Amino acid sequence: MKLNRYQAFATHLMGSILVALCSSALVFLVWYPGKLAAASGVTDIFLMLLAIDVIVGPVITLIVFNTAKKELRRHLAIVLALQLTALVYGMHAVFIARPVYAVFSVDRFELVFANDLTDEKLQKVTDSRFKKLPL
């Protein structure tokens, strides 16, 4: 069965949506559970990342898909590689900025983010439970 450009677009879109749902589960259930997503402000940034990733990849597939092209597979592989690279980069940025601790400071709780704690700072920690950052 040969796909036409609209079927290829729909297939790519469904795959992108599935990957976006899995990524969202990881971000909002593991890295930023509960109210941490709202407290850290990651929701808008992450949803923008997903929207761009889910829309741009399938639209480029819609544009480049032509069964008469000899190098169609290579073009589609390049589109997929670029889309996955953008997703991995965005997920990495979200991961390194995740909140790792909620600490009470004088009269309020403050979030401590993973990218705030350098290796230098972690070496000064005396309690072994806090030498490694939690996921």
Side-chain angles (χ1 to χ4, degrees):
M1 176 177 124
K2 284 194 169 191
L3 295 176
N4 65 34
R5 83 175 44 230
Y6 300 106
Q7 291 169 324
F9 167 77
T11 302
H12 193 154
L13 182 63
M14 290 300 124
S16 295
I17 290 171
L18 181 65
V19 170
L21 290 173
C22 293
S23 300
S24 297
L26 178 64
V27 169
F28 294 117
L29 297 176
V30 178
W31 296 340
Y32 295 82
K35 299 287 183 182
L36 288 179
S40 63
V42 74
T43 306
D44 294 337
I45 294 167
F46 184 71
L47 292 178
M48 182 178 64
L49 169 109
L50 284 186
I52 291 169
D53 201 50
V54 167
I55 293 168
V56 171
V59 167
I60 293 174
T61 295
L62 181 66
I63 293 168
V64 303
F65 195 87
N66 182 352
T67 55
K69 285 184 179 180
K70 290 181 181 180
E71 298 182 355
L72 179 61
R73 285 182 189 243
R74 184 169 58 141
H75 291 172
L76 293 177
I78 291 169
V79 169
L80 185 61
L82 289 172
Q83 186 178 11
L84 286 174
T85 302
L87 178 66
V88 168
Y89 177 76
M91 290 293 287
H92 174 72
V94 169
F95 176 75
I96 63 171
R98 75 194 183 285
V100 288
Y101 299 112
V103 296
F104 187 74
S105 175
V106 183
D107 61 344
R108 65 181 177 269
F109 282 95
E110 294 187 25
L111 293 177
V112 177
F113 298 94
N115 56 354
D116 291 337
L117 299 174
T118 62
D119 290 335
E120 205 174 85
K121 289 179 182 176
L122 289 174
Q123 287 176 354
K124 294 178 183 177
V125 174
T126 56
D127 191 336
S128 63
R129 296 176 295 168
F130 302 108
K131 284 211 175 266
K132 293 181 101 179
L133 298 179
L135 291 176

